[in-house]
């Protein structure tokens, strides 16, 4: 599993979606958590968002995005074969 850490909501999501396999995970962090406001995202893989980043930006949880906390983020990173920062 590759963990893609997405931090920029203006990043090319189509390019990232082409690189993701269903076994991979995209984690929305920093300003990329604003993407939870979109009704759908172009990914076939799991999409998560860091709950603290949503809280800091006063964003509500959306049904189509699973939230994780910092401890779960550390565990996910440790379990991943690769962790890639995507801007």
């Amino acid at each position: 599993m590759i963990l893609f850490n997405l931090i920029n909501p203006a990043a090319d999501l189509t390019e990232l979606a082409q690189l993701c396999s269903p076994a991979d995970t995209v984690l929305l962090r920093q300003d990329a958590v604003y993407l939870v406001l979109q009704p759908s995202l172009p990914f076939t893989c799991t999409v998560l968002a860091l709950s603290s980043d949503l809280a800091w930006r006063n964003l509500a949880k959306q049904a189509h995005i699973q939230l994780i906390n910092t401890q779960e983020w550390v565990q996910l990173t440790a379990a991943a074969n690769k962790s890639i920062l995507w801007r």
Side-chain angles (χ1 to χ4, degrees):
M1 180 264 298
I2 298 173
L3 173 61
F4 292 95
N5 291 273
L6 180 58
I7 63 170
N8 181 354
D12 185 351
L13 300 183
T14 303
E15 183 181 356
L16 177 56
Q18 292 173 351
L19 293 173
C20 291
S21 77
D24 296 332
T25 300
V26 172
L27 175 60
L28 305 177
R29 295 180 29 224
Q30 298 178 10
D31 283 344
V33 297
Y34 285 109
L35 292 171
V36 303
L37 301 175
Q38 292 186 7
S40 66
L41 294 170
F43 305 115
T44 59
C45 61
T46 302
V47 179
L48 308 172
L50 197 57
S51 59
S52 58
D53 285 339
L54 262 78
W56 291 331
R57 288 158 180 84
N58 201 27
L59 296 172
K61 180 190 180 317
Q62 304 296 310
H64 64 289
I65 304 290
Q66 180 182 343
L67 300 183
I68 63 171
N69 62 33
T70 305
Q71 182 179 3
E72 292 168 318
W73 173 28
V74 171
Q75 292 169 348
L76 184 63
T77 302
N81 295 331
K82 291 182 184 178
S83 181
I84 298 173
L85 179 62
W86 193 270
R87 303 190 232 184

